[in-house]
Amino acid sequence: MYLKNITLRGFKSFKDKSQLFFEPGISVIVGPNGSGKSNVADAISWVLGEQSPRTLRGNSMADVIFRNKNEEMGIAEVSLLFDNSNKVFDTEFRDVKITRRVYSKGGSEYFINSSPCRLVDIQELIADSGIGKGLHIIINQGQVNEIALLKPIERKAVIEEILGISKHKNRRDKSLAKLEKVKNDIDRINDLMDEIKITMDPLEIEAARAQKYSEIFNLLKNEEISLFIASLNNLNIEWEKENDFYKKTKDELKKVESEINSTVNKKNELSKLTDKERSGYESWREKIDHFNIESNNIANIIALVESKQNVFRTLKNMFGIDYTDYEASEKKSKEVVENKSGRDDYIIPLLEEISCKLEEIVGHLIKFLDNTKKKVQDFKTLNYIEEEINLITCEIKKLSGMVESRKRKIITIPVDMAAPEEAVKMDKKNDSDDKEKLNKIKSLKEICITNLERANKINLILKRFLPVSEKIKKELYCEFEKKNKSVIENQKKKSELESQIENLNQRKIELESDLYKSDIKKEQIKERVGAITENIVDSYGESIEYILKSYSPSTDVIESEIKVKKLKNEIKKYGNVNPNAAIEYKKIKKRFDFLSEQKRDLVEGKKELEELIDDINRRISDDFNKKFVEINRCFGKYFKILFPLGEGEMQLEKSNVGSYDDYDEIGVDLKVDIGNNKFVNLSLLSGGEKTLVSIAFLFSIYSINPSPFYVFDEVDASLDDVNISRFLTLMRNFSEKQQIILITHQKKTMEIADTIYGVTMQPQGISKVICEKIREKNAEINQEYKLSLE
């Protein structure tokens, strides 16, 4: 695995997107002071999870974002792309890109292959790859000088971090913290157990008393609940009986109501039938009455016709007699006229007699008309008779008027006082009037004869109708009697139905009264059930469902009542009892037992932690001692390369208070002879010598636990040309297996580079990267040289 490239955008002096592509071998980054080349090392450290702004040469994390006088970026982002072909990272991807992004407003984001993730995810990914935090894969000039001057304990810590022993120490430290916490928990549990025991002992005595009380209470509870269930069963039986009675009464009431409705329907139907038959009966009665009236009218008409016959027969005879008498009187009057004597004496009485007869005829006619109006209801017949009588009366009145006129003339003008000519004229005139009167009387006689014949015909027709009328009357009366009988029978049935309805209504009232009484009784049963149920539930706090499911009824109610009374008296003797004493005791005893169990678990855990810590200490000590020998050998080897005439070694050194058995008190001291045939103190060495000693120290550890790549930031700044050559010899040997990135000003260092990156600073404070692949150019030059030789 190696670092393929690094991409920077907005990070420190790299405002614009900048990329550096690396190859296996040695890559060198050069540039003047302040150009921003060291920012590349800071970017690698930042992406791999560095959280300290001071390590990144800043005061806050916002200082890594590009800023100048004219503009300020809102975001800084750096990505590292690794070649994972040998699967150092535990992922299936061939290339792995790790990205970190920070915002000027606060907050940061992490990505693995452009997928959002957490910092811990990145740390877990790189933990076993050799590039994790604390492995010192990025070394700058200041760190090199500090390593040479570290205390033995601190120098041993560096070895542990690079070798990966520190993670075991971290695990041990966590176990020690847990052990300390377990010890504190044990002490706390002991205090709690002592405090609980003070309360638990007297509570145990109270719990025993409460237990006895509870036993009696449970007996009372069982007995009283059994008595309650027995009472409830009795009430249920009573309820069922009452319910059955209620149901039967309800059914009977429904039946009675149904019968009432049925009877009322029958009555209504019968009433409709009776009304219909009564209507027919009334119709038939009206027909009978009408028939009787018409029969009476016919009888009256017959009587009237017969009376008319008599009247017209009388009038005929009277007019016949008058006509005969008048003719005879005419003859006599002529004789009298001729004789001129006794004329007036004879005519006047005759006229008076005729006038009386005429008035008598008019009286008979008027009386006949009045009787006819009373008896005849037929308007047409009555009108016809009235017209005929009025016609005759009118003629008679005219005749009577003529008679009276004649009579007045005779009385007014005596014959002897008149002149003979006038008498003759008057006699002629009188003769003319008499003829006219005779004609009138004759005409009235003929009218009477005509009406008499007409009356005879009508009377004959009516008498023929009488037998038919009697036959119809007989049939009508027979049907009328049937209708009348049916109406009477229906009326009797209707009365019987009304009586039946009245009886049924009375029975309905009785049944409704029984239902009301039954409802009251059922309500009383419900109240009793509710009262005893509420008493039991309130007394013992059990649901009715649970009671009915878990308890059985008492077999002897009286004996149960006696037991309940006795147990209640015993309960009273106990007085005030803490009912929760047993529960509290069990609870606190359970707590005490729990704490005891916890204490046992903690003691066992303490023992296991102590064993684990001892095992970790042994493992750490064994691993360190085993690898320290190899590191010491490598240190002597690399020291000899850097100081050909010198000699160096590592020695384990104990602290003033520690012993060799206490691993944590052992440090690592460096004994170096730079060629003066004596071991000197490191603080007395020059800067370049200190740098070479630190490099030998670091490379001896790197050789035991190598990382995929290393970054050295100007570690050769204090070296002269001779020492640089020795340093580069070591670097070439080391680059055969590891990727090396060097940041330097030294020209000799640049000579060993496979790839050189130049970093320059633009006027606005922006870093710019220039790349040159030296290995490819050297290959081209060598190829041209070989061709020229050929």
Side-chain angles (χ1 to χ4, degrees):
M1 185 189 78
Y2 67 93
L3 178 63
K4 293 181 71 172
N5 73 49
I6 177 171
T7 303
L8 306 96
R9 181 168 65 90
F11 185 83
K12 289 194 172 182
S13 60
F14 292 92
K15 173 191 172 186
D16 301 322
K17 183 178 180 180
S18 302
Q19 286 187 311
L20 289 84
F21 295 91
F22 300 106
E23 297 290 342
I26 299 174
S27 299
V28 176
I29 302 174
V30 299
N33 290 331
S35 62
K37 57 185 181 297
S38 294
N39 291 340
V40 176
D42 292 341
I44 296 172
S45 178
W46 184 66
V47 174
L48 293 178
E50 182 58 56
Q51 300 296 312
S52 174
R54 291 188 178 274
T55 303
L56 302 174
R57 299 177 297 155
N59 294 323
S60 65
M61 199 57 72
D63 291 337
V64 303
I65 302 174
F66 173 83
R67 182 188 298 113
N68 61 17
K69 292 182 179 180
N70 298 324
E71 60 180 326
E72 179 180 350
M73 297 287 287
I75 184 174
E77 179 179 302
V78 178
S79 298
L80 300 180
L81 180 64
F82 294 95
D83 179 277
N84 190 39
S85 57
N86 55 357
K87 303 298 180 184
V88 173
F89 291 133
D90 186 16
T91 178
E92 70 275 10
F93 297 105
R94 182 179 180 84
D95 292 332
V96 176
K97 183 172 73 172
I98 300 174
T99 304
R100 183 176 181 180
R101 185 184 299 161
V102 69
Y103 298 93
S104 60
K105 294 182 179 179
S108 61
E109 295 177 342
Y110 298 88
F111 301 88
I112 297 176
N113 286 347
S114 302
S115 297
C117 65
R118 303 169 297 169
L119 174 60
V120 67
D121 296 327
I122 295 176
Q123 291 173 344
E124 289 177 358
L125 180 66
I126 67 176
D128 297 326
S129 64
I131 61 173
K133 185 179 179 182
L135 296 179
H136 297 274
I137 63 171
I138 302 174
I139 304 297
N140 57 42
Q141 182 181 359
Q143 287 177 322
V144 169
N145 294 331
E146 289 176 0
I147 289 172
L149 300 176
L150 290 175
K151 295 178 181 180
I153 293 294
E154 294 173 344
R155 195 176 291 116
K156 188 185 77 168
V158 172
I159 295 173
E160 289 174 342
E161 288 179 352
I162 296 175
L163 293 178
I165 295 175
S166 60
K167 65 182 180 181
H168 297 297
K169 293 186 71 174
N170 291 335
R171 182 183 172 198
R172 184 194 63 182
D173 292 340
K174 290 181 181 178
S175 298
L176 286 171
K178 287 183 180 179
L179 180 61
E180 187 63 27
K181 185 177 182 302
V182 167
K183 288 180 180 179
N184 292 334
D185 289 342
I186 291 173
D187 294 338
R188 185 169 177 273
I189 285 176
N190 287 331
D191 294 339
L192 288 174
M193 290 176 69
D194 293 338
E195 184 178 352
I196 289 171
K197 196 166 179 61
I198 295 172
T199 307
M200 187 175 67
D201 291 340
L203 195 60
E204 184 178 5
I205 299 172
E206 185 68 22
R209 184 169 178 267
Q211 180 66 28
K212 185 64 178 175
Y213 176 87
S214 178
E215 291 174 359
I216 298 174
F217 181 79
N218 288 332
L219 291 174
L220 175 62
K221 177 181 176 181
N222 292 335
E223 199 65 40
E224 192 167 8
I225 289 177
S226 297
L227 182 62
F228 159 73
I229 294 174
S231 301
L232 194 63
N233 290 340
N234 293 333
L235 289 173
N236 283 336
I237 293 170
E238 188 175 350
W239 172 272
E240 290 297 331
K241 290 181 180 179
E242 197 62 36
N243 211 25
D244 291 341
F245 173 75
Y246 183 88
K247 186 177 180 181
K248 290 178 181 178
T249 306
K250 190 77 174 177
D251 293 340
E252 187 177 354
L253 178 62
K254 289 181 179 178
K255 185 177 179 181
V256 168
E257 289 176 346
S258 177
E259 290 180 2
I260 290 174
N261 292 333
S262 177
T263 308
V264 168
N265 291 335
K266 288 180 181 179
K267 176 193 168 186
N268 292 336
E269 290 176 0
L270 187 62
S271 296
K272 290 179 182 179
L273 181 61
T274 303
D275 292 341
K276 184 177 180 181
E277 291 183 349
R278 184 181 295 278
S279 176
Y281 166 77
E282 293 295 333
S283 176
W284 278 100
R285 190 177 68 179
E286 289 177 0
K287 291 178 181 179
I288 293 295
D289 292 342
H290 182 69
F291 184 82
N292 289 333
I293 291 170
E294 294 298 328
S295 297
N296 292 332
N297 287 337
I298 290 172
N300 291 331
I301 290 171
I302 291 172
L304 287 173
V305 169
E306 290 178 350
S307 176
K308 184 178 179 182
Q309 285 178 325
N310 295 329
V311 170
F312 283 115
R313 190 178 290 113
T314 302
L315 288 173
K316 172 190 172 187
N317 295 330
M318 288 176 64
F319 285 127
I321 294 169
D322 290 339
Y323 184 77
T324 304
D325 293 339
Y326 197 75
E327 284 181 343
S329 64
E330 281 291 324
K331 292 178 178 180
K332 287 180 179 181
S333 64
K334 287 179 179 180
E335 292 176 357
V336 172
V337 170
E338 291 176 356
N339 294 325
K340 303 293 183 177
S341 62
R343 180 173 57 95
D344 292 334
D345 295 334
Y346 175 77
I347 291 173
I348 292 172
L350 180 59
L351 292 174
E352 290 177 354
E353 183 180 355
I354 291 170
S355 180
C356 290
K357 289 288 185 180
L358 291 173
E359 290 178 359
E360 185 179 352
I361 290 169
V362 170
H364 283 294
L365 289 173
I366 290 171
K367 186 176 179 181
F368 171 74
L369 182 60
D370 291 337
N371 291 331
T372 302
K373 287 181 179 180
K374 292 178 181 180
K375 295 180 180 181
V376 177
Q377 294 181 352
D378 188 3
F379 177 76
K380 292 182 179 180
T381 304
L382 184 62
N383 191 31
Y384 171 74
I385 295 171
E386 187 175 1
E387 288 178 355
E388 292 292 330
I389 291 174
N390 288 335
L391 180 61
I392 295 170
T393 304
C394 183
E395 294 294 330
I396 292 174
K397 285 182 178 180
K398 288 181 181 180
L399 184 59
S400 179
M402 293 173 67
V403 171
E404 287 294 327
S405 176
R406 178 73 179 269
K407 180 181 176 181
R408 283 194 301 272
K409 288 179 180 180
I410 293 172
I411 294 171
T412 305
I413 306 173
V415 178
D416 54 353
M417 293 179 66
E421 291 84 2
E422 291 178 357
V424 174
K425 290 179 180 180
M426 187 175 295
D427 288 337
K428 288 180 180 181
K429 187 178 180 182
N430 290 333
D431 288 339
S432 178
D433 291 337
D434 290 339
K435 287 180 180 180
E436 186 178 352
K437 290 176 183 177
L438 287 175
N439 290 332
K440 288 285 185 181
I441 292 170
K442 186 177 180 180
S443 176
L444 288 174
K445 180 180 178 181
E446 289 177 354
I447 289 171
C448 289
I449 292 170
T450 301
N451 285 320
L452 180 61
E453 291 176 353
R454 190 180 298 167
N456 289 334
K457 290 179 181 180
I458 291 170
N459 189 22
L460 181 62
I461 292 169
L462 290 175
K463 285 183 177 180
R464 289 178 182 174
F465 180 73
L466 285 176
V468 177
S469 175
E470 287 298 327
K471 185 177 180 180
I472 293 172
K473 180 178 180 181
K474 184 176 181 181
E475 292 178 357
L476 288 175
Y477 267 94
C478 181
E479 189 66 27
F480 174 74
E481 288 298 326
K482 288 181 181 179
K483 295 289 183 181
N484 188 24
K485 184 177 180 181
S486 176
V487 169
I488 293 170
E489 289 177 355
N490 288 336
Q491 191 64 35
K492 184 178 179 182
K493 290 180 181 178
K494 183 178 178 182
S495 299
E496 291 175 354
L497 290 174
E498 288 176 348
S499 176
Q500 186 178 353
I501 291 171
E502 184 177 357
N503 294 333
L504 289 172
N505 283 328
Q506 185 63 33
R507 180 57 181 164
K508 179 182 177 182
I509 293 171
E510 293 174 358
L511 291 173
E512 288 176 345
S513 177
D514 291 341
L515 287 176
Y516 176 73
K517 292 177 181 177
S518 180
D519 282 333
I520 292 175
K521 194 169 182 180
K522 286 167 70 177
E523 194 64 31
Q524 291 173 349
I525 294 172
K526 285 169 67 175
E527 290 177 358
R528 288 168 61 191
V529 169
I532 63 175
T533 302
E534 183 179 0
N535 180 46
I536 288 295
V537 171
D538 291 344
S539 298
Y540 300 110
E542 301 286 358
S543 66
I544 190 65
E545 292 81 6
Y546 176 79
I547 288 173
L548 296 176
K549 182 179 179 181
S550 304
Y551 293 88
S552 58
S554 174
T555 55
D556 190 341
V557 175
I558 297 175
E559 185 178 354
S560 293
E561 290 176 349
I562 295 171
K563 286 183 180 180
V564 167
K565 186 175 181 181
K566 182 180 178 181
L567 291 171
K568 284 185 176 179
N569 292 331
E570 291 183 11
I571 288 288
K572 289 180 181 178
K573 294 178 182 179
Y574 278 86
N576 294 328
V577 176
N578 182 5
N580 297 322
I583 298 173
E584 291 176 1
Y585 173 73
K586 288 180 180 179
K587 184 177 179 181
I588 200 167
K589 184 69 168 59
K590 183 179 179 181
R591 174 69 173 163
F592 185 82
D593 294 340
F594 173 76
L595 291 175
S596 299
E597 186 66 26
Q598 289 292 310
K599 181 180 178 181
R600 284 193 294 272
D601 293 341
L602 288 172
V603 171
E604 291 178 1
K606 176 186 174 184
K607 184 178 179 181
E608 291 175 358
L609 285 171
E610 289 173 346
E611 292 175 354
L612 177 62
I613 291 168
D614 291 340
D615 182 63
I616 292 173
N617 285 333
R618 283 192 301 270
R619 184 180 297 176
I620 290 173
S621 179
D622 293 343
D623 288 348
F624 180 81
N625 292 330
K626 182 180 178 180
K627 292 182 179 180
F628 179 76
V629 175
E630 297 179 6
I631 293 171
N632 192 16
R633 180 179 57 78
C634 291
F635 179 72
K637 174 184 174 183
Y638 294 140
F639 192 85
K640 199 71 175 174
I641 295 172
L642 297 175
F643 297 96
L645 299 177
E647 182 182 356
E649 66 173 341
M650 295 180 184
Q651 292 181 353
L652 295 177
E653 184 182 79
K654 67 174 182 177
S655 64
N656 294 331
V657 295
S659 63
Y660 285 105
D661 294 332
D662 189 354
Y663 172 80
D664 292 335
E665 299 300 328
I666 296 175
V668 175
D669 191 18
L670 299 179
K671 299 294 182 180
V672 296
D673 177 8
I674 60 175
N676 297 327
N677 292 321
K678 63 177 180 180
F679 292 106
V680 295
N681 193 339
L682 295 179
S683 61
L684 300 177
L685 299 177
S686 65
E689 291 170 341
K690 291 178 183 178
T691 298
L692 292 177
V693 171
S694 298
I695 289 172
F697 174 74
L698 288 173
F699 274 65
S700 64
I701 305 171
Y702 291 159
S703 62
I704 302 303
N705 189 28
S707 295
F709 71 93
Y710 294 96
V711 179
F712 298 99
D713 183 9
E714 298 186 18
V715 295
D716 59 351
S718 60
L719 300 179
D720 55 20
D721 291 342
V722 174
N723 288 329
I724 286 177
S725 298
R726 295 170 182 173
F727 167 71
L728 294 178
T729 299
L730 179 62
M731 198 64 68
R732 284 193 192 95
N733 294 334
F734 208 74
S735 66
E736 293 178 358
K737 295 183 180 180
Q738 275 76 37
Q739 183 183 24
I740 304 296
I741 300 173
L742 293 172
I743 300 173
T744 184
H745 293 287
Q746 301 292 343
K747 294 180 180 180
K748 282 193 174 185
T749 304
M750 300 177 194
E751 292 176 358
I752 69 169
D754 298 318
T755 304
I756 294 180
Y757 282 95
V759 179
T760 62
M761 179 62 69
Q762 303 297 313
Q764 289 81 15
I766 301 172
S767 297
K768 183 178 180 181
V769 178
I770 302 171
C771 176
E772 188 72 31
K773 292 187 178 181
I774 304 300
R775 183 181 297 173
E776 294 179 0
K777 294 235 173 154
N778 290 338
E780 291 176 2
I781 293 170
N782 291 334
Q783 184 67 23
E784 290 175 0
Y785 178 71
K786 286 180 181 180
L787 291 173
S788 65
L789 290 176
E790 292 176 355

